[in-house]
Amino acid sequence: MSNGILDIDTASRLKGFHFRTRSSVRGQKSGIHKSLYKGVSPDFMEYKEYNRGDELKQVDWRLYGRHDRLYVKKYEDEVNLSWCIMLDKSASMDYGDEGSNKLSFSKKLSATLAYLLLRQGDSVGLSCYSELESDIIPPRSGNSSIMPIVEKLENVVSEGNTALRKPLLEALEVYKSSATFAIVSDFLMEPREIRESLQLLRASRKDVTLFHVLHPDETDFGFEGSVEFQDMESDAKVIVDTRSIRHTYMKRVREFKEELRSMCHEFECRYVFTASDVSVEEPLIDIADK
Amino acid sequence: MNFSFLSPIFLIGIAAVSLPVIAHLISRKSGFKKRFPALRFLLASQGEMATRSRLKDLILLLLRALTIVLIALLFAKPAVFSFSTADSSEPRSLALVIDNSFSMGYGENFKKAKKEAERLIDSTPDGSFFTALPLVPERGETISVIQDRDTARKSLNKIPLSQTYTDNERRLEQVYSALEKAPNEEKQVVLITDFQKNGWRREDYTRKWLTLIDVTETPAPGNRAVTDVESRYTKESIKVKLRVSNFSDSDTSELLTEAKLSGEKIKAYIDIAPGDFTTGEFIFPRTRTNEEPEASGSASIPEDELRLDDKRHFVLSRSGALNVLIVDGDPREDSRLSESYYLASAAETASELLRSRIRIKDNDSFLDEELSAYDLIFLTNVGEITPGKAKDLEGFIEQGGTAVIFPGDRVRAGSYNTLLQNILPGELGAPAQTDSTLVSVETDMFSDDLFKKISQARVNRSFTLIPAEGSETILKLSDETPFLTHTSHGEGNVFLFTSTADTSWSNFAITPVFAPVIKEFLDFESLSNTKRRNYIVGDSVAIDRSSAASSIEVKDPVGENYKIDPQEPVFSDTSRIGIYKVLIEGEEAYEFSVNLDPLESNLEKISRFSVESEPESELGLVKVFKELWRYFLWGVIALFISESVARALFS
């Protein structure tokens, strides 16, 4: 059952799943993510000889009984994580009918992800961006934080051209401590800009997940006859014989996806491709841990 | 073989060739529009495909357009046809008449005509009989109809291009006469021609069985030709006058013309307006070479598509010794008192310069004399002229002779006026006393020196004369009455004095003027008495020979010899243009030229409409069609396959 842009059914089905980062992160609260800081945690990591200043409650007295020496238990600390979900609201995202519209799909994906993340104790922020502007909600934790996010997403209207670098810089100013960026976009821009953006994120030691959303028309090019195509972000037009160009076009799209995947691999980012006519469950499962 | 369509209405379908292009243009303008985000991939793809796509589009467009054209042609039922007798499958007797008049020498027309005739021989049903004939018949021709195609082809290929003109209708009648006796019931006469106007007397000539095939392009091409050349001696020079005609619709400017005479050459440039002619005159100084009694030369223009008429030949001839007859109507015992004495003396003086044979006869002998043996006759005080002799004299003048008449006391004006009324330059009146001197009249017959001395002559008695219309007064008396008048008659000339040739009526005979005046008559006759040496193709040439000649031959321009019967010395084989030589007793006697009839140089055609105005069915001819739709159908199928293959290759 769906509740507006928040897919409650999907969220329910993904209840047992956790969304983790690939690397250890700095966190402020206890959570499921491995912390860079060692401390109290259910997961034992190693013993260490007691030194002055160590808390006595961390001394393993049973070991002292056997070896007559003081050892302190060290635990891997689990911390909560701050997420930044970046939603591309450029004009090119508003493609497709109801049920397959890229922006609607992306909103649902973002809302559901935000809900699940909040449920596992992470704090979540949102940036709806285009070349023209970035509309940012700072990261907050707690289940109630889902409401402003959903409201924001419901009011997002597509506008402007696709861009990444500039909105990212703006987001990094706000999400200084956020460890993970989830970017939902069609990435219909110059690959060079995507590369620069990923470089920037990785240099800022952020974990990155790219949700690459394309409409089936864009991947399968299921048009017939001679069609005059007009760009959604500019005045460019082109008349093509769809039949003769289909093969070449699809090859181009495949190459682009491969390039993105390769870029993500290079920068240790997660790349999730999804069509806009599927359930949001599919891309979310791709990044979830059981 | 002609090309036609049996259902030409379907040719409208060819317009459908524009449909693929229009469809393409319409689809470009009003096709399905779509807003699309991934346009960058489309642009990139299109750039990659653009060249290949353009080539593909062009090839496919061509194939499709060609297919549409072929389909339209297919429905229009293409066919080739030829004219044939009603039942084309029936064997027939076919007379192929090739126009070999010289106008067919234009470009490749003659070759094309033979090729067309060969095709007809090959396409005629088995069992047919053939005869291939030139439109200009050859001497001694026999028309035979044969069944063997090879022999027919050989006789066709032997037909030469003639250098003469044609009389098409007369020739076709000959062909019809021969064909009527031919074996098959079906007959056909095919004339392959250029339709040059000169060959047709009637443009509406029609005949049963007749098929006319035009081998030329329409409209008739232009042509330039040397259409006439004249040459004559003057005292100081030889003048060659040529006429160049422009039978075309455009101006001819700076056309190089050239005249050759005895190895000498003169060139000049002329301009000719369309449809007009220009006359040019070349003046050669008299030299030893061209002083010969016979000199030959040519006048030409640069060769064009019709080469034969770009050059004309001429032979310049002067007579040999002049035969002069002096008829003395009042001879005296003392010959020095006779009028003939003064005349003979003057003529003999001139003979030192001009070769002449002078005979003197009295009135009676004159009446029996054969005048045609003479070139110049002086009649002095001849009182008796019979009507028969008057007629002889008239004939003599008509043939080119010159008569100089001095009246005297024996002459009766009325008798002269009656008998010689056709040749006299005026009507003689009664003789009357006068006391006058001679006065010159503007004329080019006498030199200025002679005119200065003319007033020394005094005349005491003379006939009055009323000059006839068309005559000219050369000398007159100071009382304004005529003294010497001239008129032309036929090809000859008559000069009439009004006084005597002795000293009884005037002192004219003893003045220094008399001998030069008589010499002028001899000169005049000598210059005008050139023999005819220039003919056109087809003319009969009367050979000049002495009656004693036993062997006469004529050598034509290509060196072929013809023997001439000395009893009837006429040469008729003037079918080649150029210079002919006459050999008498094996010795070269003189030359004559044969040129084209200039009428054929004008390539203007008759209207084919008028020739074919009689319905073909009435001519007994039908169009025999051979449909070609099968070839077009195969073509359409081949194009369909090609289009499919091309599409598959490019997809």
Side-chain angles (χ1 to χ4, degrees):
Chain A
M1 174 184 169
S2 294
N3 180 14
I5 59 167
L6 180 58
D7 192 344
I8 299 296
D9 291 343
T10 299
S12 302
R13 284 197 292 275
L14 295 175
K15 197 176 176 181
F17 292 84
H18 295 287
F19 301 94
R20 299 175 190 273
T21 59
R22 286 182 165 184
S23 52
S24 300
V25 294
R26 288 182 181 88
Q28 292 176 332
K29 296 180 179 177
S30 299
I32 62 166
H33 308 286
K34 290 174 181 174
S35 170
L36 284 173
Y37 306 107
K38 306 296 178 288
V40 182
S41 168
D43 296 334
F44 170 75
M45 190 172 72
E46 61 182 346
Y47 288 105
K48 156 184 169 282
E49 262 193 277
Y50 175 78
N51 289 318
R52 189 174 293 176
D54 289 338
E55 286 193 32
L56 286 175
K57 63 180 181 183
Q58 289 177 345
V59 174
D60 190 336
W61 294 108
R62 280 189 286 183
L63 209 61
Y64 174 74
R66 284 205 293 271
H67 300 285
D68 198 22
R69 296 180 74 166
L70 287 171
Y71 290 96
V72 177
K73 274 185 179 177
K74 289 202 70 151
Y75 297 91
E76 196 170 26
D77 195 9
E78 288 190 334
V79 294
N80 67 333
L81 180 65
S82 178
W83 287 74
C84 173
I85 299 173
M86 290 187 73
L87 172 68
D88 178 7
K89 62 166 185 175
S90 66
S92 67
M93 289 292 285
D94 190 16
Y95 180 80
D97 301 330
E98 195 180 349
S100 65
N101 186 278
K102 286 198 290 184
L103 187 61
S104 300
F105 176 83
S106 300
K107 284 180 187 176
K108 195 178 278 186
L109 176 65
S110 302
T112 309
L113 177 63
Y115 175 76
L116 291 169
L117 292 173
L118 287 170
R119 283 281 303 270
Q120 73 181 16
D122 292 344
S123 57
V124 178
L126 177 70
S127 168
C128 300
Y129 72 91
S130 71
E131 186 188 45
L132 296 175
E133 61 165 4
S134 296
D135 203 353
I136 298 171
I137 296 176
R140 286 184 192 139
S141 58
N143 290 341
S144 61
S145 300
I146 190 66
M147 292 313 293
I149 290 173
V150 169
E151 275 176 23
K152 176 63 71 182
L153 286 171
E154 278 178 342
N155 294 325
V156 166
V157 178
S158 66
E159 58 178 353
N161 292 340
T162 309
L164 187 58
R165 185 178 166 79
K166 183 175 162 241
L168 201 59
L169 287 169
E170 288 170 359
L172 282 172
E173 285 297 311
V174 178
Y175 303 105
K176 284 177 183 166
S177 59
S178 294
T180 295
F181 277 70
I183 305 170
V184 185
S185 172
D186 54 13
F187 295 103
L188 294 176
M189 66 185 85
E190 286 300 318
R192 182 177 49 80
E193 189 176 348
I194 301 171
R195 170 175 283 277
E196 285 173 4
S197 301
L198 292 179
Q199 265 179 333
L200 181 67
L201 284 169
R202 291 306 292 162
S204 307
R205 307 183 69 179
K206 306 296 183 192
D207 202 57
V208 183
T209 298
L210 300 186
F211 289 100
H212 188 193
V213 183
L214 287 179
H215 191 275
D217 283 352
E218 293 174 285
T219 51
D220 304 337
F221 203 65
F223 300 101
E224 290 297 332
S226 181
V227 180
E228 181 181 318
F229 289 103
Q230 185 174 358
D231 191 33
M232 296 179 73
E233 295 182 2
S234 70
D235 294 331
K237 287 178 185 174
V238 62
I239 299 169
V240 295
D241 174 20
T242 53
R243 190 172 174 182
S244 61
I245 208 168
R246 179 175 294 121
H247 176 77
T248 314
Y249 170 85
M250 287 171 70
K251 188 177 155 214
R252 286 265 170 188
V253 174
R254 277 198 303 275
E255 284 171 357
F256 177 64
K257 281 162 66 181
E258 283 308 311
E259 190 177 1
L260 268 186
R261 193 187 301 278
S262 162
M263 237 182 269
C264 289
H265 180 75
E266 183 185 343
F267 293 108
E268 296 179 336
C269 304
R270 273 190 292 207
Y271 173 80
V272 179
F273 174 79
T274 177
S276 62
D277 63 341
V278 298
S279 166
V280 294
E281 190 177 339
E282 288 183 24
L284 290 175
I285 286 173
D286 280 351
I287 60 165
D289 294 334
K290 278 191 179 177
Chain B
M1 189 73 74
N2 301 288
F3 191 81
S4 182
F5 294 97
L6 300 180
S7 304
I9 188 75
F10 285 99
L11 292 176
I12 295 169
I14 290 177
V17 77
S18 57
L19 288 181
V21 180
I22 292 168
H24 177 66
L25 293 176
I26 289 172
S27 71
R28 282 181 70 87
K29 286 184 177 172
S30 58
F32 176 54
K33 290 181 182 175
K34 179 82 182 168
R35 284 168 58 78
F36 193 65
L39 201 74
R40 55 198 300 267
F41 299 125
L42 282 177
L43 290 170
S45 304
Q46 203 181 44
E48 186 183 305
M49 292 179 66
T51 311
R52 194 175 164 216
S53 177
R54 268 199 294 272
L55 180 68
K56 180 198 82 172
D57 288 348
L58 187 66
I59 290 172
L60 288 179
L61 181 69
L62 280 176
L63 287 171
R64 287 165 187 169
L66 206 55
T67 307
I68 288 169
V69 171
L70 272 192
I71 289 172
L73 293 177
L74 176 67
F75 278 96
K77 292 189 181 172
V80 288
F81 69 90
S82 55
F83 287 102
S84 183
T85 47
D87 185 356
S88 63
S89 61
E90 286 294 313
R92 76 196 69 160
S93 293
L94 173 65
L96 292 162
V97 186
I98 309 293
D99 184 353
N100 63 333
S101 64
F102 96 86
S103 63
M104 285 287 284
Y106 187 92
E108 298 287 311
N109 288 351
F110 192 54
K111 271 188 187 173
K112 280 199 272 184
K114 284 189 171 181
K115 204 172 172 185
E116 183 64 20
E118 276 199 49
R119 193 194 59 71
L120 286 170
I121 290 173
D122 294 339
S123 62
T124 310
D126 290 339
S128 297
F129 284 80
F130 310 93
T131 182
L133 299 164
L135 194 58
V136 180
E138 290 180 303
R139 187 166 287 276
E141 174 194 73
T142 53
I143 300 177
S144 54
V145 182
I146 48 172
Q147 202 168 9
D148 181 40
R149 290 175 204 268
D150 286 338
T151 315
R153 268 194 290 269
K154 277 178 193 165
S155 63
L156 171 72
N157 288 323
K158 276 183 191 167
I159 294 173
L161 184 64
S162 131
Q163 295 179 351
T164 184
Y165 52 89
T166 59
D167 183 346
N168 299 357
E169 291 157 46
R170 191 172 156 197
R171 177 59 169 167
L172 286 173
E173 292 306 320
Q174 282 179 1
V175 175
Y176 273 100
S177 305
L179 202 65
E180 274 168 7
K181 298 166 197 162
N184 288 318
E185 199 173 315
E186 294 293 335
K187 322 263 190 211
Q188 189 178 7
V189 176
V190 178
L191 173 60
I192 308 172
T193 178
D194 61 357
F195 286 97
Q196 199 260 348
K197 208 166 188 171
N198 190 40
W200 299 90
R201 274 180 282 171
R202 289 180 298 145
E203 290 202 5
D204 57 350
Y205 179 79
T206 52
R207 200 71 157 81
K208 193 182 174 188
W209 309 335
L210 180 62
T211 303
L212 298 161
I213 296 176
D214 187 358
V215 289
T216 62
E217 292 163 8
T218 304
N223 182 37
R224 291 185 304 244
V226 182
T227 47
D228 194 20
V229 60
E230 286 176 9
S231 57
R232 65 187 174 92
Y233 283 102
T234 63
K235 285 177 186 171
E236 290 85 22
S237 62
I238 295 168
K239 290 185 177 174
V240 176
K241 200 188 312 185
L242 85 163
R243 185 164 69 186
V244 183
S245 300
N246 178 9
F247 299 108
S248 74
D249 299 332
S250 55
D251 277 315
T252 295
S253 57
E254 296 187 353
L255 181 71
L256 179 66
T257 55
E258 185 179 271
K260 284 183 190 170
L261 177 67
S262 302
E264 289 180 64
K265 203 185 285 181
I266 299 177
K267 293 180 179 180
Y269 290 94
I270 59 168
D271 298 333
I272 322 171
D276 204 353
F277 65 83
T278 298
T279 305
E281 191 168 64
F282 298 90
I283 300 172
F284 290 88
R286 290 176 74 154
T287 63
R288 264 187 204 173
T289 317
N290 58 36
E291 277 290 346
E292 292 295 319
E294 305 286 344
S296 62
S298 64
S300 62
I301 58 172
E303 288 187 349
D304 53 24
E305 286 280 325
L306 186 57
R307 292 188 292 274
L308 281 174
D309 61 5
D310 297 332
K311 186 177 189 179
R312 285 183 93 79
H313 303 272
F314 62 87
V315 172
L316 189 61
S317 170
R318 284 197 296 166
S319 62
L322 278 178
N323 289 314
V324 181
L325 173 65
I326 300 173
V327 183
D328 193 339
D330 185 19
R332 307 287 173 86
E333 285 183 15
D334 183 354
S335 62
R336 285 178 296 178
L337 298 174
S338 300
E339 286 173 285
S340 56
Y341 169 78
Y342 297 99
L343 281 172
S345 302
E348 278 167 9
T349 308
S351 290
E352 293 171 11
L353 302 168
L354 294 166
R355 289 182 295 165
S356 57
R357 283 192 290 273
I358 302 164
R359 292 182 184 218
I360 302 172
K361 301 276 181 184
D362 61 18
N363 201 150
D364 292 340
S365 307
F366 165 64
L367 297 177
D368 299 327
E369 191 68 19
E370 175 58 53
L371 301 185
S372 62
Y374 298 97
D375 302 309
L376 176 62
I377 297 173
F378 289 96
L379 298 176
T380 61
N381 202 10
V382 176
E384 188 180 354
I385 297 177
T386 59
K389 188 46 70 183
K391 200 175 177 185
D392 282 353
L393 191 62
E394 195 175 324
F396 162 76
I397 293 164
E398 273 179 0
Q399 294 299 314
T402 299
V404 182
I405 301 169
F406 287 91
D409 52 7
R410 293 195 171 203
V411 170
R412 281 168 296 171
S415 171
Y416 264 50
N417 289 336
T418 306
L419 293 171
L420 304 176
Q421 63 173 338
N422 292 334
I423 57 171
L424 284 184
E427 189 180 333
L428 283 171
Q433 292 294 330
T434 182
D435 185 15
S436 305
T437 55
L438 279 184
V439 179
S440 62
V441 175
E442 289 292 325
T443 174
D444 58 358
M445 189 170 173
F446 301 115
S447 66
D448 292 344
D449 288 345
L450 201 59
F451 270 124
K452 283 174 189 168
K453 294 171 185 170
I454 211 93
S455 60
Q456 293 180 20
R458 294 194 70 82
V459 179
N460 302 320
R461 188 178 173 81
S462 67
F463 278 88
T464 55
L465 179 78
I466 303 166
E469 197 177 335
S471 66
E472 62 170 336
T473 300
I474 298 167
L475 295 172
K476 62 182 181 181
L477 297 173
S478 53
D479 62 3
E480 293 295 315
T481 57
F483 182 71
L484 171 60
T485 50
H486 164 251
T487 189
S488 299
H489 182 73
E491 292 182 8
N493 295 278
V494 180
F495 294 90
L496 175 63
F497 285 88
T498 54
S499 192
T500 59
D502 60 6
T503 55
S504 57
W505 286 20
S506 77
N507 70 344
F508 178 54
I510 55 171
T511 60
V513 182
F514 186 69
V517 168
I518 298 304
K519 182 177 174 294
E520 287 296 333
F521 290 123
L522 269 71
D523 274 346
F524 183 82
E525 176 55 24
S526 176
L527 292 174
S528 63
N529 193 33
T530 51
K531 302 287 183 187
R532 187 181 175 191
R533 293 288 182 260
N534 299 298
Y535 300 86
I536 63 166
V537 169
D539 277 352
S540 291
V541 179
I543 304 294
D544 294 335
R545 81 335 174 185
S546 66
S547 54
S550 59
S551 159
I552 303 173
E553 282 181 273
V554 173
K555 188 184 274 187
D556 77 2
V558 295
E560 199 172 327
N561 274 357
Y562 297 82
K563 286 204 179 297
I564 307 295
D565 180 2
Q567 302 305 315
E568 290 180 27
V570 176
F571 175 70
S572 306
D573 287 316
T574 50
S575 58
R576 293 194 175 101
I577 58 171
I579 302 291
Y580 289 65
K581 289 178 178 170
V582 177
L583 294 93
I584 298 174
E585 309 296 356
E587 294 289 324
E588 194 174 311
Y590 65 91
E591 294 176 332
F592 64 88
S593 74
V594 173
N595 288 300
L596 294 168
D597 184 341
L599 285 174
E600 285 245 339
S601 292
N602 184 353
L603 300 178
E604 189 186 350
K605 295 159 86 168
I606 58 167
S607 158
R608 284 195 65 179
F609 177 76
S610 63
V611 173
E612 294 180 341
S613 58
E614 192 170 345
E616 281 143 18
S617 56
E618 288 180 32
L619 291 170
L621 294 171
V622 291
K623 284 178 178 175
V624 179
F625 288 95
K626 185 185 174 190
E627 290 196 41
L628 303 173
W629 64 269
R630 281 184 189 81
Y631 303 107
F632 283 75
L633 181 61
W634 282 116
V636 169
I637 292 169
L639 282 172
F640 269 126
I641 293 169
S642 305
E643 198 265 353
S644 303
V645 170
R647 255 190 306 130
L649 284 175
F650 285 116
S651 65

